[in-house]
């Protein structure tokens, strides 16, 4: 099996490559990543040196590069993680989200078509469904919930999902889509809620909670997401969508308070700042289909997973401190100044 993993130097892609290299040591894994601000080759340390692994720096939008790579590697399957992923950045500057997330996905699928109909898996998100009200705990997203994206990021992911299904219907490309809820775990870029709050709390800096902190996210450990993608890749039915989620809904303020407690810091560090524009209220995934049909079950609970994750960030300060001392600092100053 030769697997082409795009966006494999990012948070989930790197965890996926680590999981697959451990579970399937005979697989050849080729990682294509543009190394944008969110890509980090050090997340693949220990894997990148292996004989079954190849890293290629480049964009999924580069059709010529894709053609060369497909000719050289003849992949059996493609798992597409490559994307612009931060909602706040998509509000600030949507255009790159459209080119990478939509046109890049189309370029990859065209390469799959041109090479005999290579199996294609699209890593999507629960955000394509929009949000749910806070006062209806009975409601969850199923695979039949209509797409109703709120942000430029989620609209770009929803557009890509529509294209993926269109390529299945029109060209018979063997595609699958997984739509997962919020991930947490090692190697997450510290602009996202959990690593951002750990880094700031640890340094005794203000912890910026949007609005009143009542928005709810459904948290899943990244390793459980990786195992779900593996299950879909190996046992999923082409043309199908699978929701993935951990049944672990938490209000943002509760997650941030937990981080303060775990790090022994005062809650007075928490600062309520101007809300995100169009801020989705609540996500909640019904993962019944992947549990029933593919036998997937999450292994981590949020309680143990979040403590292990905090420990990982404390034990691996150098991984994120190089990020927070670089260009990212200017992003933070720009995004949060006067908020
Ligand atoms: P990330 O931002 O950490 O990583 C994205 C990676 O894609 C980076 O390595 C970046 O360099 C690479 N990339 C960006 N543009 C590229 C391009 N044009 N060509 C090649 N590589 C490019 O993102 P993540 O959190 O790991 O998310 C991975 C995927 O999972 C995304 O598609 C995202 O929509 C989806 N997802 C994320 C979550 C979450 O909670 N983080 C949940 C559900 C789904
Ligand atoms: O649901 C899956 C999605 O989860 C993925 O598709 C996205 O790629 C990923 O970024 C994530 O999106 P969110 O917008 O939910 O994640 P983020 O970490 O940016 O924010 C989580 C919540 O925390 C959200 O309600 C906004 C809030 N927040 C975030 C930041 C960065 C704050 O209150 N303060 C902050 O500084």
């Amino acid at each position: 099996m030769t697997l082409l993993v795009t966006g494999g130097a990012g948070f989930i892609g790197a965890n996926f490559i680590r999981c697959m290299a451990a579970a399937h040591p005979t697989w050849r894994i080729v990682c294509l990543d543009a190394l944008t601000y969110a890509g980090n080759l050090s997340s693949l340390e220990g894997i990148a040196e292996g004989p079954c692994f190849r890293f290629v720096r480049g964009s999924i939008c580069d059709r010529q590069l894709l053609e060369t790579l497909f000719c050289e590697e003849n992949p059996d399957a493609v798992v597409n993680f490559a994307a612009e992923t931060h909602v706040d950045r998509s509000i600030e500057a949507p255009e790159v989200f459209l080119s990478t997330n939509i046109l890049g996905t189309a370029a990859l699928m065209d390469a799959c078509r041109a090479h005999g109909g290579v199996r294609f898996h699209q890593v999507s998100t629960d955000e394509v469904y929009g949000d749910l009200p806070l006062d209806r705990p009975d409601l969850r997203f199923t695979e039949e919930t209509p797409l109703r994206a709120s942000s430029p990021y989620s609209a770009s992911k929803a557009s890509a999902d529509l294209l993926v299904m269109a390529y299945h219907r029109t060209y018979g490309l063997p595609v699958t889509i997984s739509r997962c809820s919020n991930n947490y775990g090692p190697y997450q870029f510290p602009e996202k809620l959990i690593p951002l709050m750990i880094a700031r709390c640890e340094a005794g800096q203000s912890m910026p909670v949007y609005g009143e902190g009542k928005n709810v996210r459904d948290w899943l450990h990244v390793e459980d997401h990786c195992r779900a993608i593996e299950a879909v890749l190996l046992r999923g039915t082409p043309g199908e969508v699978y929701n993935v989620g951990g049944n672990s809904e938490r209000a943002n303020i509760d997650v941030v308070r937990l981080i303060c407690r775990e790090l022994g810091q005062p809650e007075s560090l928490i600062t309520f700042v101007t809300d995100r524009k169009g801020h989705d209220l609540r996500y909640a995934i019904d993962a019944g289909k992947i549990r029933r049909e593919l036998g997937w079950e999450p292994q981590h609970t949020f309680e143990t997973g979040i403590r292990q994750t905090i420990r990982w960030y404390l034990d691996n300060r150098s991984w994120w401190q190089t990020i927070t001392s670089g260009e990212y600092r200017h992003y933070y100053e720009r995004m949060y100044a006067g908020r």
Side-chain angles (χ1 to χ4, degrees), residues 57-83:
R57 182 172 189 176
S59 172
I60 57 168
C61 300
D62 184 341
R63 287 172 176 263
Q64 196 142 22
L65 169 69
L66 292 180
E67 176 56 24
T68 308
L69 192 58
F70 272 65
C71 286
E72 285 172 0
E73 295 290 349
N74 196 19
D76 298 293
V78 175
V79 181
N80 181 28
F81 292 94

Side-chain angles (χ1 to χ4, degrees), residues 314-332:
L314 297 182
D315 292 344
N316 291 275
R317 281 187 177 79
S318 62
W319 181 85
W320 53 269
Q321 278 177 350
T322 40
I323 297 170
T324 50
S325 63
E327 188 282 330
Y328 170 71
R329 214 176 47 216
H330 303 300
Y331 161 84
Y332 187 87

Side-chain angles (χ1 to χ4, degrees), residues 7 9-13 32-36 38-40 58-61 80-85 100 123-125 153 157 180-183 188 192 225:
F11 164 47
I12 308 174
L32 172 66
D33 196 298
L35 294 183
T36 67
N40 196 336
S59 172
I60 57 168
C61 300
N80 181 28
F81 292 94
E84 290 292 333
T85 64
T100 295
V123 182
S124 187
T125 167
Y153 160 69
K157 293 294 290 186
C180 189
S181 59
N182 286 63
N183 284 209
Q188 188 169 28
K192 303 286 170 69
H225 185 189

Side-chain angles (χ1 to χ4, degrees), residues 134-251:
L134 291 174
D135 60 357
R136 288 290 309 274
D138 54 311
L139 296 181
R140 280 163 195 274
F141 301 131
T142 71
E143 289 80 0
E144 275 68 51
T145 302
L147 304 190
R148 196 178 60 91
S150 314
S151 70
Y153 160 69
S154 52
S156 70
K157 293 294 290 186
S159 307
D161 282 11
L162 292 174
L163 264 182
V164 172
M165 296 316 281
Y167 271 56
H168 178 68
R169 169 92 186 242
T170 307
Y171 305 115
L173 193 70
V175 304
T176 43
I177 297 177
S178 52
R179 294 185 179 138
C180 189
S181 59
N182 286 63
N183 284 209
Y184 67 94
Y187 303 112
Q188 188 169 28
F189 195 85
E191 67 188 352
K192 303 286 170 69
L193 181 76
I194 289 181
L196 174 80
M197 293 299 169
I198 295 171
R200 295 195 61 85
C201 185
E202 215 255 330
Q205 294 169 327
S206 64
M207 300 167 75
V209 170
Y210 298 166
E212 295 176 41
K214 289 183 179 157
N215 305 63
V216 169
R217 297 295 181 264
D218 182 0
W219 293 99
L220 183 74
H221 194 282
V222 65
E223 284 170 11
D224 285 323
H225 185 189
C226 293
R227 278 190 283 262
I229 294 168
E230 179 192 33
V232 175
L233 194 61
L234 295 179
R235 302 190 294 283
T237 305
E240 291 294 315
V241 174
Y242 297 88
N243 281 355
V244 183
N247 244 346
S248 271
E249 290 178 51
R250 299 284 184 287

